[in-house]
Amino acid sequence: MTMMQPQEATLSNDAVIAMAETALADIAKVRESVGRVIFGQESVVEQSLVAILAGGHALLVGVPGLAKTKLVDTLGVALGLDARRIQFTPDLMPSDIVGTEVMDQDETGRRSFRYVKGPVFAQLLMADEINRASPRTQSALLQAMQEYHVTVAGERHDLPAPFHVLATQNPLEQEGTYPLPEAQLDRFLMQVDVYYPDIAAERRILLETTGNDNQSAEAVMTAKRLREIQSLVRRMPVAESVVEAILQLVRSARPGNGNSHADTHVAWGPGPRASQALMTCVRARALYDGRLAPSIDDVMGLAEPILQHRMALNFSARAEGMSVREVIGALKRDAA
């Protein structure tokens, strides 16, 4: 977690409150801009924006045709970020993502190597169908997600700031895919499940996206302003009761810590990175909802997207047809 700078530590409570109130207005504008384009996916929009406000990455899981790509494009426009897209395929190579060195020759005939940056050098990167890439390519993206730089020919190249990856994955298609390793899944702040819209939202989609007057998002924020809000999120106060709720929930998801559901059904549970993710995301969710401090409800509301990709069921639980969501639901009930 980023250390607080001395000038940040000296800010008064009144100054932080004033900054938060300004941020609330800016976030409301982003929500309005995105809402003109994305219909009926309020929770998906919320969780994606919370992940970005918290300074992390998100994995969007859903069947094709649910506007995952459209959402990422819209967020890039509304937040004023340099957004790019990579369509992952089995033959995609690491150099297709991070870039490569090419040989140049000047007018005197002298030859030299020049680094050509890849599409990973963006502020908002959409990794479309990320599980179609080979493990070698996924490892190149993993370094970028974790270290915020890439290494080519022994040279370090820093990525732009902010840098966020919103990856998509089809949960049904298994042929020709490479499951993401647990280490890379853990780097995603959240797994956002994208479901089918309800009938009212789908009716609006039909009426507003099949004519000549399609709505489009507009830039209501800049990358610099986003970084200021991300810094503010880390300065928001968290009550001791919320900290205890985070610790209790995450630790109860690990087998061997006294919870009967985890002991019976969980093979391995979330590590401390899950606690860190919850600590940051509950602040961002509070700010997204127009509040200046998170509550225990924020912890419970974010439990599933933050924990479900950081734990695995054992064989007997899978044989019984249980899902990770069911186990997390039981853990939440125990914590309530």
Side-chain angles (χ1 to χ4, degrees):
M1 187 171 290
T2 305
M3 295 297 292
M4 185 179 294
Q5 298 298 322
Q7 63 268 26
E8 295 176 345
T10 59
L11 287 175
S12 65
N13 290 335
D14 291 340
V16 173
I17 292 173
M19 293 171 63
E21 290 175 345
T22 304
L24 296 179
D26 291 339
I27 294 172
K29 293 178 183 177
V30 174
R31 296 176 62 176
E32 180 183 357
S33 180
V34 174
R36 288 198 296 265
V37 181
I38 305 299
F39 313 131
Q41 297 286 6
E42 287 81 6
S43 65
V44 176
V45 173
E46 174 190 312
Q47 292 173 16
S48 300
L49 265 174
V50 164
I52 292 175
L53 293 175
H57 316 291
L59 178 65
L60 307 179
V61 179
V63 299
L66 298 183
K68 298 187 295 296
T69 304
K70 187 69 173 177
L71 171 63
V72 179
D73 291 340
T74 304
L75 288 174
V77 173
L79 295 172
L81 302 178
D82 174 24
R84 300 185 186 182
R85 175 186 176 187
I86 302 176
Q87 183 65 48
F88 279 66
T89 57
D91 60 346
L92 195 72
M93 298 297 292
S95 59
D96 297 325
I97 295 178
V98 302
T100 187
E101 287 192 322
V102 298
M103 181 176 289
D104 283 342
Q105 182 172 326
D106 59 20
E107 60 276 3
T108 65
R110 181 181 178 183
R111 297 177 180 178
S112 61
F113 285 101
R114 174 173 56 90
Y115 174 59
V116 179
K117 294 181 178 180
V120 75
F121 286 85
Q123 293 172 323
L124 182 62
L125 178 67
M126 179 179 186
D128 210 355
E129 295 187 292
I130 187 173
N131 57 328
R132 286 191 169 276
S134 67
R136 182 180 179 187
T137 302
Q138 289 181 10
S139 66
L141 183 62
L142 172 61
Q143 182 196 18
M145 292 170 58
Q146 178 65 24
E147 306 295 339
Y148 295 95
H149 69 261
V150 299
T151 304
V152 178
E155 294 292 328
R156 168 176 168 160
H157 302 274
D158 291 330
L159 296 172
F163 173 72
H164 302 283
V165 175
L166 295 184
T168 69
Q169 181 174 307
N170 183 349
L172 303 177
E173 203 166 26
Q174 300 299 325
E175 188 173 345
T177 62
Y178 301 85
L180 271 64
E182 286 74 14
Q184 184 156 356
L185 283 173
D186 201 22
R187 264 63 178 187
F188 286 103
L189 205 60
M190 281 197 250
Q191 176 181 315
V192 181
D193 291 329
V194 186
Y195 300 107
Y196 292 109
D198 59 31
I199 188 170
E202 193 160 359
R203 177 180 285 111
R204 186 181 176 192
I205 292 171
L206 289 176
L207 296 176
E208 298 196 22
T209 63
T210 58
N212 292 324
D213 300 325
N214 290 343
Q215 291 286 342
S216 59
E218 61 181 42
V220 294
M221 193 179 289
T222 64
K224 179 181 178 181
R225 179 57 181 151
L226 176 60
R227 295 194 69 190
E228 292 174 351
I229 295 177
Q230 289 173 341
S231 177
L232 172 65
V233 165
R234 291 181 175 271
R235 291 202 295 269
M236 292 176 63
V238 181
E240 185 64 27
S241 60
V242 176
V243 176
E244 290 300 321
I246 292 173
L247 289 171
Q248 179 183 350
L249 179 64
V250 174
R251 294 183 66 84
S252 69
R254 301 168 187 163
N257 275 271
N259 186 279
S260 59
H261 299 289
D263 291 343
T264 305
H265 304 299
V266 177
W268 49 267
R273 191 177 278 119
S275 304
Q276 292 175 314
L278 270 171
M279 190 72 168
T280 308
C281 287
V282 294
R283 294 163 163 160
R285 187 176 191 258
L287 200 61
Y288 180 88
D289 286 342
R291 293 176 280 114
L292 301 181
S295 66
I296 295 178
D297 289 339
D298 293 315
V299 178
M300 300 306 167
L302 292 173
E304 185 175 302
I306 287 179
L307 296 182
Q308 63 177 329
H309 61 296
R310 291 186 166 99
M311 52 192 298
L313 301 182
N314 56 31
F315 176 79
S316 62
R318 296 197 304 270
E320 294 172 9
M322 293 195 65
S323 68
V324 174
R325 297 187 192 95
E326 291 175 333
V327 175
I328 295 175
L331 296 175
K332 289 166 59 177
R333 289 191 295 271
D334 289 347

